[in-house]
Each structure stands twice: as structure tokens, then as C-alpha cells.
Amino acid sequence: MFEKILIANRGEIALRVIRAAREMGIQTVAVHSTADSDAMHVRMADESVCIGPPSGTDSYLSIPAIIAACEVTGAQAIHPGYGFLSENANFVQIVEDHDLAFIGPTAEHIRIMGDKITAKDTMRNLGVPCVPGSDGGVPTLSEAKKLGEEMGYPVIIKATAGGGGRGMKVAQNADEMEHAFMTARSEGKAAFGNDEVYIEKYLTTPRHIEIQVFGDGKGKAVHLGERDCSLQRRHQKVFEEAPGPSITPEERDRIGKVCADAVARIDYAGAGTIEFLYENGEFYFIEMNTRLQVEHPVTEVIFGVDLVREQIRVAEGLPMSFTQDDLVINGHAIEVRINAEKLPEFSPRPGTITQFHAPGGLGVRMDSALYDGYKIPPYYDSLIAKLIVHGRDRASALARLNRALSELIVDGVDTTVPLFHALLQEPDILSGEYNIHWLEHWLETNLQD
Ligand code: ADP
């Protein structure tokens, strides 16, 4: 059993892990950059180690500094949170080489799923339905054009190493192919050091539905239903809910079983998310994330489970504490991502929080590292809080979200809160009728200066 774990992350997700560890009686070590000396995760952990200057590359992404912090503090395991090193197979290998435990899947699984072409091949072979597209990488523009003609436009060109919405370009017709192909390649090269791209049919009105899976690393796995994350801006999620308003219990059972069986067959360990586009009653795999997702709380609240606790247990070699039959959905949950950004352009707004009040009451969860007087540094992601509400059904969850948003106070910086007040007035949001393009269209007509 672990006595002490190190959290290689910051912000709300570091707090999330510290909380689970504390409930399990495990000591925690926070790491931080010099810009985060006063951060909440540093205050809340049992110990903390400064691992470098503000830039993420020199601190939260510095593998030697993180390993050294484990050695200095005697931490036995590392939880990576999401982002930063959470899907870095090389990091996992180094962690294991130092006889430390990584709280997450194996380096091999991270490597397979981190390359989107290999991930798609693997999933197809495991019986998971995929988006129609090229067979592997497409090395030249002429091949891309040929495929575009064969598949029919529109198509999407994707960097095989892509992530976070980067390295993806849509070509509506043959004329747009050259620009889309070259841009996806150069973005892939610049952001991920890999210019390989592949091509998929571009689905025009899908929803983004992702299945939460969990494996014990020894051939057993379960699914925890779906999350609908269709409300996106620039391929980034802003509002997530579970269960998905368009998914029937039969569809959930069917696709959930396909996913759980797939990860069981590869002995997957810990939390994972299998992402699909869903259109006309069909699921199409797009990628698998081999970590805890930002939006994991909506799943936790409807199933009444602690996914971080479960991750730690599995990393300790213990069995999962639930079976598929134990996992029963209770009600409906919604999460909104509150970013320090100014609308309508969503430009980052770091600064000092002059007043902060978190909403509370029945069915309200606030995952945030904010406090009065906190100075949001300009170096990292602009997510500052996740507000999660739980109701007995979708209508009561929406009413609760409205109520919780009206209690929330975040003064001193601009935030995306006004966006959610506005969305809650929209009939399509209230009825759950939206797809992955809905928000972009809405922003174009409603949020211009
Ligand atoms: P990333 O790894 O950058 O998050 P994904 O492959 O998960 O990229 O895709 C992110 C989003 O891009 C999806 O949720 C969806 O909105 C859009 N997208 C991806 N593939 C397609 C496709 N074939 N057709 C239509 N939209 C797509």
C-alpha cells in the first residue's frame, strides 16, 4: 500500500487527487513552479517541492525534477492528473525504471493510444466501430486528394500525434485540400514533433459521446456509461453532461459493453475514456484518452464512485471495488468549465481574484483551486473552476446549475460564467438538442461585439 504519493500537476486536479489520497490515509507531496508558490495545491498537500521556474516545460514537464522530488520526499507513486505528463509514455517508463509506481495505465498502452493511427487500428481489431477513413498515414498531397475523391467531401485531416483540438483541419472540397493537408501537417510538426497525418470522413452533425472505462490491469474491466461533450469551441469542451440526452439505456449497454470488453482484452489498468462521434444511431471511435478526464466528475456523481480512489487502488494492485452490476445511474449531472477568459474572443485573463464565493447546497460540487486574493499566473491553462451539479433528472440538474451559477462570485478577472447564463436561456440547451457544431454557430450569432 502507498504511504505517500506525489501529484505531478497543479490547480483543481492536484486538489482532486490530494482529497482522494487524504480520505485513503495517504500522505501527499505537491510539486510547484516558482509562479505557484502560493497555490492552493501547495497549501493543501502535506509536503511540497519547488521544481522549477514558471514555464511548464521547465517545471511541471521536467521529468528529472519530478523524479528527484519523489526521491527527496520518499513518495512511492506519482499521480499525473490530466495534461502535462499524463499521457507521456516515456515519463511512465522512467517512473517505473526508478521503482516508482505510476497511477495510470502502462507505458505501452499510453504509446498505442497516443498515436491515433495505431489507436484506431487497435480499436478496430478489438471490435470497436471507427470513423471511415484512410488506412493509416497519408504521406503525400496527391494521395490525400485521391482519397478525398474516393471518400467524398467533406473530410478531416488529422495529425496522428494530435491532441487538444490541434492538428486538425477540415477540407470541404478538393480546392481546400492542399491548404488543409499542409496546415494539419505543419501544426502536427510544430506542436507534437510529428507531421504524419491521416484522413477521416468529416461527419456533419454528430454528437461527441465518450465512454468512461475502468480496468484492473488483469483482464477485468467495466464501463461507467457515457458523457455528452458536444458543446465545444474550437474542438475544446465547455459543458459536459451525463447521461447523454440522446442515448437510450439499450445503446449505452451495447456500446459500453463493446468498450469494456475491448479494454479488458488488452489488460488495461485504471481510468480511460473512449471517445466517439455519434450520428444517426451509430458510434464512430475517434480516440482514447489514457487518463482521468477533466469532465470525470459528472460520471462520479451519477454513479456515486470516486474514480481517483479507484485509480490509486488499482495502482496498488488491488481489485476494483465495483462490478458492472454495482454501477447503476442515479439522476443527471452537468459540468461547466469556468475559464479566466474574456468573451467574446475567449482571450486569457490572468489576474488577481478580489472576491471568491463558491456555490453550495444540495447537489452542487465545485472543483477549483481559487481563493480570495489568489493571483492567477499567466503561464498555464485558463481553466480556474469546474462547477458540477447533480439532480434527479436533467430538468432539475439544469435548474440547479442556474441556481448555483447565480450564487457564484469570481471578481477581479473576466470569466466564461456569462456564457453559461446565456446558454441556459436557449431552448436547444434546455431540450438537449445540440451537436458538435451548435456552440460555434451560436457564438457567431450571439456573442459578437
Ligand atoms: P483531440 O485529440 O485534438 O481532442 P479528437 O480526435 O478527439 O481530437 O477530436 C476532437 C473533436 O474534433 C471532436 O470532439 C469533434 O468535435 C471533432 N472531430 C474529430 N474528428 C471528426 C470527424 N471525423 N468528423 C467531424 N468532427 C470531428
Side-chain angles (χ1 to χ4, degrees), residues 204-277:
T204 49
T205 55
R207 301 182 76 119
H208 174 115
I209 304 286
E210 56 185 36
I211 305 291
Q212 175 73 55
V213 290
F214 207 98
D216 70 355
K218 300 167 187 162
K220 276 208 192 83
V222 296
H223 73 86
L224 293 96
E226 77 284 0
R227 295 181 283 261
D228 189 324
C229 312
S230 303
L231 286 177
Q232 301 179 353
R233 177 180 173 272
R234 304 209 171 149
H235 304 304
Q236 299 266 28
K237 300 158 189 168
V238 302
F239 172 114
E240 303 101 349
E241 58 182 313
S246 62
I247 305 296
T248 64
E250 294 72 33
E251 282 176 307
R252 172 175 315 117
D253 288 348
R254 177 174 65 86
I255 193 71
K257 188 169 183 330
V258 168
C259 292
D261 286 350
V263 296
R265 275 173 58 192
I266 58 171
D267 292 340
Y268 186 81
T273 295
I274 305 189
E275 296 192 337
F276 293 94
L277 295 176

Side-chain angles (χ1 to χ4, degrees), residues 40-51:
M40 194 62 134
H41 73 286
V42 174
R43 298 179 177 197
M44 220 193 239
D46 298 302
E47 288 170 69
S48 64
V49 180
C50 181
I51 51 165

Side-chain angles (χ1 to χ4, degrees), residues 116 131 156 158 162-166 168 200-203 208 232 235 275 277 286-287 436:
K116 292 185 172 188
V131 190
I156 183 164
K158 295 170 128 180
R166 283 177 302 169
M168 272 188 296
E200 272 177 0
K201 181 84 191 145
Y202 184 68
L203 302 176
H208 174 115
Q232 301 179 353
H235 304 304
E275 296 192 337
L277 295 176
I286 46 174
E287 69 163 345
I436 59 166

Side-chain angles (χ1 to χ4, degrees), residues 171-443:
Q172 294 292 348
N173 49 52
D175 293 341
E176 290 183 12
M177 182 54 109
E178 180 167 355
H179 179 71
F181 183 80
M182 295 305 180
T183 315
R185 275 183 76 132
S186 57
E187 277 188 23
K189 181 85 189 156
F192 311 103
N194 179 348
D195 67 357
E196 188 176 38
V197 297
Y198 64 107
I199 299 187
E200 272 177 0
K201 181 84 191 145
Y202 184 68
L203 302 176
T204 49
T205 55
R207 301 182 76 119
H208 174 115
I209 304 286
E210 56 185 36
I211 305 291
Q212 175 73 55
V213 290
F214 207 98
D216 70 355
K218 300 167 187 162
K220 276 208 192 83
V222 296
H223 73 86
L224 293 96
E226 77 284 0
R227 295 181 283 261
D228 189 324
C229 312
S230 303
L231 286 177
Q232 301 179 353
R233 177 180 173 272
R234 304 209 171 149
H235 304 304
Q236 299 266 28
K237 300 158 189 168
V238 302
F239 172 114
E240 303 101 349
E241 58 182 313
S246 62
I247 305 296
T248 64
E250 294 72 33
E251 282 176 307
R252 172 175 315 117
D253 288 348
R254 177 174 65 86
I255 193 71
K257 188 169 183 330
V258 168
C259 292
D261 286 350
V263 296
R265 275 173 58 192
I266 58 171
D267 292 340
Y268 186 81
T273 295
I274 305 189
E275 296 192 337
F276 293 94
L277 295 176
Y278 173 77
E279 192 173 69
N280 300 325
E282 298 291 336
F283 289 90
Y284 301 97
F285 170 77
I286 46 174
E287 69 163 345
M288 176 166 183
N289 292 317
T290 49
R291 55 169 161 82
L292 196 67
Q293 302 267 101
V294 176
E295 59 274 20
H296 76 277
V298 292
T299 301
E300 292 189 319
V301 299
I302 63 167
F303 283 101
V305 300
D306 178 339
L307 289 171
V308 176
R309 176 189 173 88
E310 221 48 41
Q311 287 185 299
I312 296 172
R313 279 177 59 92
V314 164
E316 286 175 327
L318 295 172
M320 289 186 285
S321 58
F322 40 67
T323 65
Q324 191 68 59
D325 288 344
D326 298 330
L327 295 167
V328 180
I329 294 178
N330 170 22
H332 196 96
I334 302 174
E335 172 182 284
V336 294
R337 296 193 192 191
I338 298 170
N339 292 350
E341 289 172 353
K342 184 165 166 29
L343 304 176
E345 62 278 4
F346 292 83
S347 47
R349 279 293 188 276
T352 302
I353 303 291
T354 52
Q355 207 191 153
F356 173 64
H357 174 77
L362 184 63
V364 175
R365 166 173 168 182
M366 184 84 170
D367 280 19
S368 165
L370 291 183
Y371 58 85
D372 270 336
Y374 174 59
K375 240 185 171 160
I376 303 169
Y379 311 103
Y380 316 106
D381 194 88
S382 54
L383 179 81
I384 51 169
K386 304 186 310 203
L387 172 59
I388 303 106
V389 294
H390 183 206
R392 68 183 176 280
D393 52 25
R394 190 167 188 273
S396 46
L398 285 164
R400 192 155 280 159
L401 179 59
N402 213 348
R403 188 271 289 171
L405 282 169
S406 69
E407 285 178 23
L408 171 68
I409 299 171
V410 184
D411 284 347
V413 295
D414 290 298
T415 74
T416 49
V417 168
L419 169 69
F420 302 115
H421 281 298
L423 288 179
L424 286 173
Q425 305 297 317
E426 287 297 324
D428 289 347
I429 300 299
L430 300 180
S431 63
E433 276 153 47
Y434 54 83
N435 61 42
I436 59 166
H437 304 299
W438 190 95
L439 184 61
E440 294 277 6
H441 290 312
W442 184 87
L443 288 171

